Amino acid sequence: MFRTVSRLLAAAVVIACPLAAGAAPTEITDALGRKVTVELPVARVAVNFNFEEFTAVAGLEGWRRVVGISRAPWEGWRPAIFSRYKAVIPNLADMPDIGHTDDGSFSAEKVIGLKPDVLLMSEWAYRALTTARDQIEGAGIPIVVIDYNAQELERHVASTRAIGRVMGAEERAEELADLYRREYADVMARVERATSERAGKPRPKVYVELGQGGADTVGNTYNGTMWGRIITLLGAENLAEGRLPGPWGQLNPETVIAEDPDLILIAGSSWVNRPKAVRTGYDMTPDGTRATLRPYAERAGWSDLAAIREGRITAIEHGLCRTLYDFVAMQFIGKLLYPAAFADVDPVGAFRDYHEKYLPIPFSGTWMLDYGHD
């Protein structure tokens, strides 16, 4: 009788605590190739960055296990996007904030106090927050590093798989990793064919500028990272290459005029308190985006540029680079550079399809716009 009761009690404990009963130390390889031991399945997760990537892999169900996020780089930088996710993720509105690296508010104490089973952390935050990460790991909380910022195929794939492994969504993660690999390879194959056909001709010149402050100020351009990295991958000549002391900064306006770029790319977004910015995103119509882009086309000294004369000044959402879906930005720019090679590619359609299949919010708005066309 005693043995029977004991067995029943043990069974009841297992039924009442399925996560605890099934938890097992599991080795996960993160974006940096680190082997991190995490007790799976996880019940509590903190997320420092890459929220839309997390959503694509883990789904809405995954958000039920999130106990803290760095709110500033999502709610603060792009509130129009955050508000859409808040409408479909019940616990997002009151989600505890673990702070952010850029403003010095990141708090190891807050992370530790939330008692997560794991912290998903961006590579740049992991590198910058050495003291905080030591405190967090010292408290027994494993850190799995995610990195889409490197803009390397292998890290995109490794990051996606790591999120999937942590969240028990391996099949969906592998599907997304395969999608990215396939689309990336397709873009690069088209670029290779196009550049082979152009053998002996100069590479197309591209100037990219962050359209945050308005046309009366010179915004940052990029060398070897973000849009600069994409331009180089696409076989074009980035005007900023070799002309900046670091990965980003302002390029002399006279240089842009002297170099006469074939394509001008202005990165816009849904930033707040930026009345002169180029506007893109869920809430923008093509005409609305075009209106905010027009002052750039009318800059002093730009009227004689080939890109302006031929209508090859373009607006693109700044948040499209360094993401799990940045292949759509590569498709869009590739199509502008090599129209024949990308004639059958529909970047906007690809982004719409990505929303429909992997994100919980509907596609809308203007994310990529050729100045002269919708």
Side-chain angles (χ1 to χ4, degrees), residues 264-284:
I264 296 174
L265 181 70
I266 306 295
S269 193
S270 53
W271 297 295
V272 295
N273 301 320
R274 298 287 184 172
K276 297 182 179 181
V278 172
R279 313 296 294 182
T280 52
Y282 289 107
D283 296 320
M284 292 305 298

Side-chain angles (χ1 to χ4, degrees), residues 188 191 195 203 206 222-241 330 333 337-338:
M188 298 313 297
V191 169
T195 52
R203 292 182 297 161
V206 182
Y222 303 92
N223 177 29
T225 188
M226 301 183 77
W227 298 113
R229 167 75 171 164
I230 289 176
I231 291 166
T232 301
L233 281 173
L234 295 176
E237 178 184 344
N238 175 22
L239 260 59
E241 189 173 352
M330 296 174 69
I333 300 171
L337 294 171
Y338 316 111

Side-chain angles (χ1 to χ4, degrees), residues 3 49 59 73 92 110 141 162 164 177 218 230 242 281 315 350 359:
R3 290 178 181 175
F49 199 56
L92 192 55
K110 288 181 180 178
I141 300 168
V218 179
I230 289 176
L359 296 178

Side-chain angles (χ1 to χ4, degrees), residues 40-284:
L40 298 182
V42 297
R44 299 174 65 81
V45 184
V47 182
N48 158 251
F49 199 56
N50 296 118
F51 311 107
E52 286 149 290
E53 285 75 18
F54 176 86
T55 306
V57 175
L60 290 178
E61 187 281 331
W63 277 99
R64 297 175 187 171
R65 290 180 273 166
V66 179
V67 296
I69 64 170
S70 295
R71 296 181 72 105
W74 200 12
E75 182 181 28
W77 293 357
R78 295 183 176 88
I81 296 175
F82 179 85
S83 64
R84 279 173 163 76
Y85 282 84
K86 185 173 67 175
V88 297
I89 300 173
N91 58 329
L92 192 55
D94 299 319
M95 182 71 66
D97 182 14
I98 61 176
H100 181 46
T101 54
D102 285 12
D103 59 12
S105 64
F106 186 88
S107 170
E109 290 77 12
K110 288 181 180 178
V111 174
I112 295 168
L114 292 171
K115 300 180 180 179
D117 300 314
V118 63
L119 168 63
L120 296 178
M121 197 174 203
S122 67
E123 184 273 344
W124 47 273
Y126 183 80
R127 298 289 190 197
L129 300 170
T130 53
T131 300
R133 83 187 191 208
D134 289 345
Q135 292 172 337
I136 292 166
E137 290 174 327
I141 300 168
I143 298 174
V144 172
V145 177
I146 306 300
D147 184 19
Y148 294 94
N149 281 27
Q151 295 174 286
E152 296 175 1
L153 174 62
E154 295 78 10
R155 288 207 179 179
H156 269 57
V157 171
S159 297
T160 304
R161 285 176 168 167
I163 296 171
R165 193 75 179 96
V166 166
M167 300 306 297
E170 292 93 335
E171 184 175 344
R172 187 173 172 95
E174 198 59 41
E175 181 180 330
L176 279 157
D178 285 344
L179 170 68
Y180 191 82
R181 266 196 304 256
R182 184 171 63 251
E183 298 296 347
Y184 183 96
D186 180 71
V187 167
M188 298 313 297
R190 290 172 187 270
V191 169
E192 184 177 0
R193 289 196 299 270
T195 52
S196 295
E197 292 171 359
R198 290 175 54 93
K201 297 180 181 179
R203 292 182 297 161
K205 294 181 181 181
V206 182
Y207 172 62
V208 58
E209 182 176 329
L210 183 66
Q212 189 179 65
D216 52 350
T217 63
V218 179
N220 282 341
T221 189
Y222 303 92
N223 177 29
T225 188
M226 301 183 77
W227 298 113
R229 167 75 171 164
I230 289 176
I231 291 166
T232 301
L233 281 173
L234 295 176
E237 178 184 344
N238 175 22
L239 260 59
E241 189 173 352
R243 291 188 168 100
L244 296 180
W248 55 77
Q250 298 174 336
L251 192 62
N252 189 318
E254 296 301 323
T255 299
V256 178
I257 294 172
E259 290 294 328
D260 194 14
D262 301 291
L263 172 66
I264 296 174
L265 181 70
I266 306 295
S269 193
S270 53
W271 297 295
V272 295
N273 301 320
R274 298 287 184 172
K276 297 182 179 181
V278 172
R279 313 296 294 182
T280 52
Y282 289 107
D283 296 320
M284 292 305 298

